[in-house]
Amino acid sequence: MSKSVLLVGSILFLAITLYFPVNRIIWVLSVRRLERKTGKTVSEQARNSQHNRAKFIAVIVSFFFSFLFTYNLLKELY
């Protein structure tokens, strides 16, 4: 197996694994921040909007950190 296939596979696996907890954490923190900012419970439409925003941010964060982690790990192996 070539190094590039191993690198890409490892990055994708780790990114997918990290996506779900990162997505949930970002969503919960953003809804709580919005509730604290407004001083009342957030509507369902605002929660959905925050959830879409959290998904986008989670994809970027997951891929970025999985790339850094995997690259540094495999750099030492080869």
Side-chain angles (χ1 to χ4, degrees), residues 5-48:
V5 172
L6 181 63
L7 180 68
V8 171
S10 299
I11 290 171
L12 288 177
F13 176 74
L14 185 59
I16 291 168
T17 306
L18 285 175
Y19 171 76
F20 296 105
V22 169
N23 180 27
R24 179 64 66 160
I25 289 170
I26 292 172
W27 179 65
V28 167
L29 290 176
S30 65
V31 168
R32 286 183 182 174
R33 180 183 53 86
L34 190 60
E35 286 177 346
R36 197 172 49 238
K37 189 176 181 181
T38 60
K40 55 186 173 184
T41 305
V42 182
S43 68
E44 198 63 34
Q45 180 183 5
R47 285 180 189 244
N48 290 337

Side-chain angles (χ1 to χ4, degrees), residues 47-63:
R47 285 180 189 244
N48 290 337
S49 174
Q50 292 297 319
H51 198 256
N52 290 336
R53 182 174 172 244
K55 287 178 187 177
F56 178 72
I57 294 170
V59 166
I60 294 171
V61 169
S62 297
F63 276 108

